[in-house]
Amino acid sequence: MNYEEMEAEANVSTVMQFVLLGFSDLPNLQGLLFGLFSITYIMILIGNSLIIILTRLDTALQTPMYFFLANFSSLEICYVSVTLPRVLVNLCTQDRSISMRGCATQMCFFLMLATTESFLLAVMAYDRYVAICNPLHYPLVMNHRVCIRLAVGSWVCGIPVQIGQTCQIFSLHFCHSNHINHFFCDMPPILKLACGDISLHELSVYVVVLLVGAVPFMLILASYSKIISTVLRLPTSRGRDKAFSTCSSHLLVVLLFFGSATITYLRPPSSHSPGTDKLLSLFYTIVTPMFNPLIYSLRNKDVIAALRKLFLKI
């Protein structure tokens, strides 16, 4: 063992807890950030809950497309609840400490739900592909049993992979610094605290991201390439407009989620900066769940009609 390795080994300490620095570099904006994030969280809960309620109450929305949309809204509520309440507590109390176990739990649930979102977006793209490219076979192909299996598969497929990855990351040794320059326990900032050679761990992160991110994204691209070619062959402009209107909402959510997540996780470690990572993370942890109800409701006549019926009943 050479001198550098001995020195690194000597500097390893048993880290029992981490400190989430979050937005501590903005001391004068803590109250404003708390207010903004509180309003955002309430909007996410209300907006996504409203979509779930509408799809359950309105018979016109009890189709496979809206079944998956209700699953997606449920996912967004769970997804944002993994990170945002902790951010609010840190801003309110200024106590930024989090135990090793708490950090690992937060990361594990975050990664599992992110994987679910990735696959659920692919399932939603497949649903649109069948509806537009094979409309006569749509009721047969996307029957209730198939929809249940696709939804359950999206929710559970990432659980063993992400549990294994979380255990692998938290089995590393961490140096004296236990300050995570982020607002939640994410992989890139935690890997920066690890001692020694972590190239194999970084490689495993890339492999998992490609598996749970790139594969669903390629399936989405394949689905939409077929959809676009089919839509362009439709004889009437009204049919084309309706098809594009149905798909554009989903595509916008796909671009927001996959775009920001890909830049965050597939950039070289040397190009990571805390400020950029936080900004990108805000997109796929908070912005997408917040805009999901607006994107799907404002661009969807069926949802707007169901919303009007609900308000009239109330």
Side-chain angles (χ1 to χ4, degrees):
M1 182 180 289
N2 58 34
Y3 175 76
E4 287 80 6
E5 290 174 335
M6 292 175 62
E7 186 177 29
E9 192 71 26
N11 283 334
V12 173
S13 62
T14 304
V15 175
M16 300 304 295
Q17 66 176 14
F18 292 105
V19 177
L20 289 167
L21 296 180
F23 303 97
S24 58
D25 54 338
L26 303 170
N28 298 326
L29 299 177
Q30 299 295 293
L32 176 62
L33 289 173
F34 178 80
L36 286 175
F37 285 133
S38 297
I39 294 170
T40 301
Y41 190 41
I42 293 170
M43 287 175 60
I44 291 170
L45 294 179
I46 293 175
N48 285 285
S49 297
L50 195 56
I51 285 182
I52 296 168
I53 293 168
L54 289 175
T55 56
R56 295 294 296 175
L57 296 180
D58 198 294
T59 54
L61 300 184
Q62 291 175 6
T63 62
M65 182 176 79
Y66 296 108
F67 169 76
F68 292 124
L69 179 56
N71 268 269
F72 191 69
S73 293
S74 302
L75 170 67
E76 296 290 51
I77 291 172
C78 298
Y79 187 58
V80 77
S81 296
V82 171
T83 57
L84 202 46
R86 182 78 203 191
V87 174
L88 293 174
V89 169
N90 291 351
L91 288 170
C92 183
T93 64
Q94 296 300 306
D95 179 11
R96 306 179 191 281
S97 60
I98 183 170
S99 67
M100 175 81 77
R101 185 173 298 177
C103 191
T105 302
Q106 185 186 53
M107 176 190 284
C108 188
F109 275 98
F110 172 77
L111 294 176
M112 286 191 298
L113 292 170
T115 302
T116 299
E117 180 156 351
S118 181
F119 281 101
L120 195 54
L121 286 170
V123 167
M124 292 169 77
Y126 174 71
D127 171 70
R128 291 299 83 209
Y129 158 73
V130 177
I132 293 172
C133 300
N134 298 291
L136 296 179
H137 296 93
Y138 182 67
L140 180 64
V141 175
M142 300 301 292
N143 59 62
H144 184 67
R145 182 178 295 180
V146 171
C147 291
I148 293 291
R149 288 177 178 176
L150 288 172
V152 171
S154 299
W155 280 92
V156 305
C157 64
I159 292 175
V161 176
Q162 299 301 357
I163 288 177
Q165 181 157 259
T166 302
C167 293
Q168 182 187 30
I169 289 173
F170 280 88
S171 66
L172 295 170
H173 293 293
F174 297 98
C175 298
H176 286 298
S177 175
N178 64 342
H179 289 186
I180 301 173
N181 200 348
H182 213 304
F183 57 88
F184 72 100
C185 292
D186 202 3
M187 285 190 293
I190 289 180
L191 284 173
K192 284 184 177 181
L193 304 181
C195 299
D197 183 14
I198 59 168
S199 55
L200 285 177
H201 294 278
E202 290 175 341
L203 179 61
S204 71
V205 169
Y206 287 130
V207 171
V208 171
V209 169
L210 287 173
L211 178 66
V212 303
V215 172
F217 187 65
M218 294 303 292
L219 292 174
I220 291 170
L221 289 181
S223 297
Y224 274 103
S225 63
K226 292 285 188 180
I227 289 170
I228 291 170
S229 64
T230 301
V231 169
L232 292 176
R233 292 199 301 268
L234 291 176
T236 62
S237 60
R238 183 178 179 181
R240 288 194 295 269
D241 292 342
K242 184 178 180 180
F244 278 126
S245 176
T246 303
C247 297
S248 59
S249 302
H250 180 251
L251 271 175
L252 185 55
V253 174
V254 167
L255 291 174
L256 277 173
F257 176 76
F258 279 102
S260 54
T262 300
I263 295 172
T264 299
Y265 288 102
L266 294 183
R267 281 185 302 155
S270 57
S271 66
H272 281 273
S273 67
T276 306
D277 286 348
K278 290 177 192 177
L279 183 62
L280 289 169
S281 297
L282 285 173
F283 273 94
Y284 60 82
T285 58
I286 297 175
V287 174
T288 301
M290 181 177 66
F291 281 108
N292 170 44
L294 294 174
I295 291 170
Y296 280 108
S297 61
L298 294 178
R299 299 183 61 83
N300 192 303
K301 293 179 181 179
D302 292 336
V303 175
I304 292 174
L307 194 60
R308 285 174 179 166
K309 287 180 189 176
L310 181 63
F311 283 142
L312 286 173
K313 287 180 181 179
I314 293 174

